[in-house]
Amino acid sequence: MLLNSVGTRTALSDAPLIPVPSTYNAPGVRHTAQIRAANWAGYVATGQKFTGVTGTWRVPSAVCTTADSFAAQWVGIDGHPSETVEQIGTGIACHDGVASYEAWYEMYGDADVNGGASVTLPSGYKVTAGDTVTGTVTVAGDMWSLTLADTSRGWSFTKNVTFHAEQASAEWIVERPDVCTSAEESSCQASTLTASKPVTFTAASAQAGGAMQPAATFAPAAATMVDVDSDATLASPSSLASTSFVVTIAGPDGVVVPASSQAPSCSSAPFTDVSKTNAFCGAISWLKTSGITTGYAGGAFRPGASISRAAVAAFLYRLAHDGAQAPSCSSAPFTDVSKTNAFCGAISWLKTSGITTGYAGGAFHPGASISRAAVAAFLYRLVALAGQAN
């Protein structure tokens, strides 16, 4: 799936579910309503011979620290209790405080497909935080079809593979991959899970010889990811509502916040006018990697310049929507913001969300500089909105 380019060549492997013993799971019982796992969080359906699985999710914004960390989001067949996994999904790698995103597939256990390790999709199939993707895995006989479609970018990738597997489970998963320093399984160990916004799975469905049915039809078990040593919960799913659920990742739900109170230092300059020794470099770099800002033409950020109310609206929208761009407007939200205004979608969202009411007379003053007090009010209302949503 992903490669860590620092030091030795470190491959990441997405492995079958690794059960964690606990008082909640009786000895010898592997299929229960609740599963505690060292590497998976999500839902796992068993008890059928599965012929298909599908699900949709938005690639989450990562919250990187200076430590390396990884996460994968995927759908697949097998892995519990079978020892192969046929899967496709997206992944995040954090290194030196910077996140990278990739799309991948893996035929774990099939030595003929990259030695059973994950395969990064070709360069034309890019993903990033905020993209909406749909993964589908189907099998007919021994012919597997693994498809990933990025509706945000308009591409679709399919890999066909011939392989015999048990088809013992279907799953919708957030995973912390193993970090392996060689092809030997003994060189692998669990990675650090990347903190991120929650991952919402929708349209989660599976089939066992017939048509696709809602995931809930198969009464799947909820898998919670825990740390083997401390027993701390790393990631856990919400209740399953027919075809949808949310996996909360190792931190506060809702709005992305840095993993520590201070942004980490930079290993490189994020913009031409922001050096890596700039006191605000870590925070500015996070803005860029999270998709909240792209800066100006020519690669500048203009860190000392004031910011307009319209630009803050765009920043807040992307913060709350995993780096996604605001949609266009069907009507003008304020008297001085036309529906063709480049920032209309974000400003309209500010208004409908209750984050701003504008000025007396129905104006917003989009080009005016915003005060620190107004930013404080906007942020408070945004966090309050996230709390209500959760």
Side-chain angles (χ1 to χ4, degrees):
M1 180 186 67
L2 302 165
L3 288 177
N4 173 8
S5 59
V6 177
T8 58
R9 190 172 184 272
T10 305
L12 298 186
S13 174
D14 294 281
L17 182 145
I18 304 171
V20 175
S22 83
T23 57
Y24 299 107
N25 285 351
V29 177
R30 298 195 66 175
H31 306 292
T32 65
Q34 300 290 327
I35 298 172
R36 287 159 46 82
N39 57 337
W40 287 13
Y43 277 89
V44 183
T46 58
Q48 304 278 343
K49 185 172 183 178
F50 290 94
T51 55
V53 63
T54 189
T56 298
W57 64 94
R58 177 179 285 176
V59 180
S61 294
V63 181
C64 296
T65 66
T66 54
D68 289 355
S69 62
F70 308 91
Q73 310 82 36
W74 56 269
V75 298
I77 292 177
D78 282 319
H80 183 61
S82 49
E83 294 300 320
T84 66
V85 195
E86 303 78 39
Q87 55 192 153
I88 194 162
T90 54
I92 306 170
C94 286
H95 177 66
D96 282 346
V98 178
S100 59
Y101 300 84
E102 291 189 350
W104 57 276
Y105 68 89
E106 185 172 35
M107 297 291 291
Y108 185 92
D110 183 356
D112 292 336
V113 180
N114 197 34
S118 59
V119 179
T120 301
L121 269 55
S123 59
Y125 301 96
K126 298 291 187 183
V127 296
T128 194
D131 285 8
T132 298
V133 298
T134 298
T136 305
V137 177
T138 59
V139 59
D142 287 341
M143 177 57 71
W144 292 83
S145 178
L146 295 83
T147 298
L148 192 70
D150 187 323
T151 56
S152 300
R153 296 175 180 270
W155 60 254
S156 180
F157 171 90
T158 298
K159 176 67 176 181
N160 295 317
V161 178
T162 301
F163 179 63
H164 181 74
E166 292 184 37
Q167 302 165 227
S169 62
E171 47 269 338
W172 306 263
I173 295 297
V174 170
E175 179 173 4
R176 59 167 176 166
D178 282 349
V179 179
C180 307
T181 56
S182 74
E184 298 297 324
E185 188 172 345
S186 59
S187 74
C188 300
Q189 62 180 12
S191 64
T192 298
L193 179 67
T194 297
S196 74
K197 290 192 69 173
V199 181
T200 299
F201 285 87
T202 59
S205 304
Q207 65 185 109
M212 287 282 186
Q213 300 290 330
T217 304
F218 301 95
T224 296
M225 188 191 309
V226 299
D227 183 89
V228 176
D229 296 323
S230 67
D231 204 41
T233 297
L234 302 178
S236 58
S238 67
S239 59
L240 175 63
S242 184
T243 62
S244 63
F245 64 94
V246 179
V247 178
T248 301
I249 315 293
D253 205 345
V255 178
V256 175
V257 294
S260 63
S261 58
Q262 298 296 323
S265 59
C266 289
S267 59
S268 60
F271 293 99
T272 56
D273 55 352
V274 179
S275 72
K276 65 181 182 179
T277 58
N278 185 301
F280 298 97
C281 183
I284 294 169
S285 180
W286 171 78
L287 278 183
K288 182 180 181 180
T289 59
S290 297
I292 296 169
T293 187
T294 56
Y296 289 88
F301 179 72
R302 303 180 190 172
S306 61
I307 188 168
S308 69
R309 289 167 57 85
V312 168
F315 280 14
L316 294 180
Y317 182 92
R318 295 168 195 159
L319 175 63
H321 294 85
D322 293 332
Q325 298 293 318
S328 58
C329 287
S330 58
S331 60
F334 293 99
T335 57
D336 56 351
V337 179
S338 72
K339 65 180 182 180
T340 59
N341 186 300
F343 297 97
C344 183
I347 294 169
S348 180
W349 169 79
L350 275 188
K351 181 180 181 180
T352 58
S353 299
I355 296 171
T356 186
T357 56
Y359 288 87
F364 179 72
H365 301 178
S369 295
I370 191 168
S371 69
R372 289 162 62 90
V375 170
F378 282 9
L379 288 172
Y380 180 87
R381 294 167 194 160
L382 178 61
V383 172
L385 176 68
Q388 291 167 4
N390 296 326

